[in-house]
């Protein structure tokens, strides 16, 4: 049986996500300047496609897009700062917890999905068991110093990863895929860059000579190429999935990819790895269970 398109795009997103985090872990670009240059790369990559295909006209597309831009403008800075303070593996193992939250919250947006799952009692019971296991692993991680340090550093990222997919799914309802897949990345990037520049001028979180340094630009654009590919595949996957929680669940495999990279390179892994991967396994279980309904 062929894999659904959303899972293929989701898996590709996981690899690009892992690459982006590992690059930041190695390059250690200033966490405020990095997101700006990442979005600059995204804007450059998608601009020709926006010119060719045009942009959506529905006002609601831009309304939900603006909301995601505000949330992710904050989240991206916190995210890359968290990687610099801890490590890519710890962040990647913790963020997937958002997929469970968004999975539950989406039923408030589309209540009919609940009836769909309840119509299959066995699947519904397994989903409940998965959520219980998730709670168990989350409780264990509370005792892990590395995890709690990471959580304090990236809690807003978890919030954004919960609300963001729901807003992105709403965006897909108000635009044609051919236009939106590029316009989303391009216009959201411009909005976020504008927000960061305004904040840079007002609050000066980083010196201008650091923010606009060639080294910062070069490294930021390198990470940005992986980010642009990740966003394009991620946004495309939302068009082929009924519940947006499954996309972050698939992307959670980036933690497994990072762990495999650590093992291959002989790097020591810190923290409660078993419980962290338990969260990832629970996210993957939701994907498998969904495919059975």
């Amino acid at each position: 049986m062929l894999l659904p398109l959303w899972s293929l795009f989701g898996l590709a997103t996981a690899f690009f996500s892992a690459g982006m985090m590992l690059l930041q872990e190695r390059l250690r670009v200033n966490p405020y300047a990095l997101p700006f240059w990442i979005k600059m790369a995204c804007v450059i990559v998608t601009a020709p496609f926006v010119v060719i295909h045009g942009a959506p006209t529905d006002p609601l597309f831009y309304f939900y897009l603006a909301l995601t831009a505000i949330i992710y403008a904050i989240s991206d800075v916190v995210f890359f700062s968290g990687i610099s303070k801890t490590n890519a593996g710890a962040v990647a193992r913790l963020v997937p917890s958002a997929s469970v939250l968004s999975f539950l919250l989406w039923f408030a947006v589309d209540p009919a999905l609940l009836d769909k799952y309840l119509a299959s009692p066995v699947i519904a019971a397994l989903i409940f068991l998965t959520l219980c296991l998730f709670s168990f692993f989350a409780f264990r991680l509370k005792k892990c110093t590395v995890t709690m340090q990471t959580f304090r550093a990236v809690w807003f990222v978890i919030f954004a990863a919960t609300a963001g997919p729901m807003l992105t799914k709403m965006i897909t309802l108000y635009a044609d895929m051919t236009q939106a897949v590029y316009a989303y990345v391009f216009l959201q990037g411009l909005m976020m860059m504008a927000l960061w520049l305004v904040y840079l001028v007002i609050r000066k979180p980083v010196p201008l000579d650091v923010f606009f340094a060639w080294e910062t630009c070069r490294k930021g654009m390198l990470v940005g190429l992986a980010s642009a590919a990740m966003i394009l595949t991620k946004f495309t996957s939302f068009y082929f999935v009924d519940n947006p929680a499954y996309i972050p669940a698939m992307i959670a495999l980036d933690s497994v990819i990072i762990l495999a990279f650590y093992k291959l390179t002989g790097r020591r892994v810190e923290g409660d790895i078993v419980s962290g991967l338990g969260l990832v396994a629970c996210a993957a279980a939701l994907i498998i269970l969904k495919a059975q309904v």
Side-chain angles (χ1 to χ4, degrees):
M1 184 176 67
L2 294 176
L3 291 174
L5 284 174
W6 66 264
S7 67
L8 294 176
F9 281 108
L11 184 60
T13 304
F15 275 95
F16 288 128
S17 175
M20 178 184 66
M21 286 189 281
L22 288 170
L23 279 171
Q24 167 60 355
E25 183 180 82
R26 179 175 180 81
L27 298 177
R28 301 284 179 177
V29 187
N30 180 281
Y32 187 86
L34 175 60
F36 177 87
W37 294 109
I38 285 178
K39 291 304 174 185
M40 177 67 77
C42 292
V43 167
I44 293 173
V45 169
T46 55
F49 297 99
V50 174
V51 172
I52 294 172
H53 297 287
T57 57
D58 195 314
L60 287 176
F61 172 87
Y62 295 93
F63 172 74
Y64 288 114
L65 184 66
L67 291 180
T68 64
I70 294 171
I71 291 176
Y72 287 135
I74 301 172
S75 174
D76 282 8
V77 174
V78 175
F79 177 74
F80 289 111
S81 178
I83 292 176
S84 299
K85 292 177 181 176
T86 56
N87 59 73
V91 173
R93 290 191 297 272
L94 189 58
V95 172
S97 59
S99 66
V100 175
L101 298 176
S102 58
F103 174 83
L104 296 173
L105 288 174
W106 187 251
F107 289 119
V109 178
D110 189 0
L113 278 177
L114 182 59
D115 294 331
K116 179 180 178 181
Y117 289 113
L118 291 178
S120 303
V122 174
I123 300 301
L126 290 174
I127 289 176
F128 177 74
L129 176 60
T130 300
L131 296 176
C132 290
L133 287 173
F134 176 86
S135 299
F136 169 74
F137 289 123
F139 180 78
R140 282 190 51 170
L141 284 173
K142 288 180 63 177
K143 303 176 182 179
C144 175
T145 303
V146 173
T147 299
M148 293 311 298
Q149 178 186 355
T150 304
F151 176 77
R152 286 190 290 270
V154 300
W155 69 266
F156 189 87
V157 177
I158 297 174
F159 164 75
T162 301
M166 300 178 65
L167 292 172
T168 301
K169 184 61 178 180
M170 297 300 295
I171 290 172
T172 64
L173 301 177
Y174 300 103
D176 177 77
M177 177 180 174
T178 304
Q179 289 184 327
V181 68
Y182 303 111
Y184 172 88
V185 179
F186 178 78
L187 295 173
Q188 185 192 68
L190 289 178
M191 291 178 184
M192 293 171 68
M193 289 168 64
L195 290 171
W196 286 321
L197 286 176
V198 170
Y199 189 81
L200 177 67
V201 172
I202 296 175
R203 300 300 298 270
K204 298 179 177 59
V206 57
L208 293 179
D209 58 344
V210 173
F211 191 89
F212 291 106
W214 166 244
E215 191 71 1
T216 302
C217 172
R218 182 180 65 83
K219 292 180 179 179
M221 294 286 278
L222 180 61
V223 181
L225 291 176
S227 178
M230 181 194 73
I231 295 173
L232 285 171
T233 54
K234 178 181 178 181
F235 186 75
T236 303
S237 66
F238 278 110
Y239 271 92
F240 301 104
V241 67
D242 54 359
N243 189 322
Y246 295 121
I247 304 307
M250 175 66 84
I251 298 172
L253 293 175
D254 58 7
S255 62
V256 179
I257 297 169
I258 291 172
L259 182 61
F261 178 81
Y262 285 169
K263 292 293 185 181
L264 288 173
T265 56
R267 174 168 175 172
R268 180 188 174 193
V269 183
E270 300 179 345
D272 187 345
I273 307 303
V274 173
S275 296
L277 291 180
L279 294 183
V280 177
C282 288
L286 288 178
I287 298 173
I288 296 172
L289 292 171
K290 181 264 180 182
Q292 306 305 312
V293 177

